[in-house]
């Protein structure tokens, strides 16, 4: 299933859509593809948003992450949530 959001930070409609996508994921087990804006660097924000809704980071594919040469937009910060997300995808 695909979840698209190009706003940074995600707005209220993105939060509502993330909740719906997460519910479908929990019931079906299908992975989630996140369509993000690599130039705004919101891919990690969207993964975190989905994690808050119960989707494991390992079940999320960030589309367009390679569209920018700036890889810092894809690098998770060193927070406890980021550490668990890194562990979940390893």
């Amino acid at each position: 299933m695909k979840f698209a959001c190009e706003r940074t930070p995600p707005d209220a409609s993105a939060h509502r859509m993330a909740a719906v996508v997460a519910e479908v994921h929990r019931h079906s087990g299908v992975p989630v593809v996140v369509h993000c804006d690599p130039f705004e660097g919101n891919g990690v924000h969207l993964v975190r948003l989905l994690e808050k809704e119960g989707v494991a980071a390992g079940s999320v594919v960030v589309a367009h992450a390679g569209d920018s040469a700036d890889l810092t937009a894809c690098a998770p910060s060193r927070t406890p949530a980021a550490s668990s997300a890194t562990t979940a995808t390893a």
Side-chain angles (χ1 to χ4, degrees):
M1 157 183 11
K2 190 168 190 176
F3 169 46
C5 176
E6 294 188 349
R7 294 185 186 259
T8 303
D11 61 7
S13 63
H15 283 264
R16 286 191 304 272
M17 185 56 77
V20 171
V21 166
E23 183 175 351
V24 171
H25 167 77
R26 286 191 302 272
H27 288 289
S28 68
V30 298
V32 178
V33 176
V34 173
H35 172 92
C36 65
D37 183 346
F39 303 103
E40 289 294 322
N42 69 344
V44 173
H45 293 286
L46 298 175
V47 173
R48 299 288 176 256
L49 179 58
L50 288 166
E51 282 183 312
K52 287 178 184 175
E53 294 293 339
V55 179
S59 295
V60 181
V61 176
V62 180
H64 305 289
D67 290 358
S68 171
D70 180 9
L71 297 180
T72 59
C74 298
S77 61
R78 296 291 174 212
T79 62
S83 298
S84 66
T86 304
T87 302
T89 59

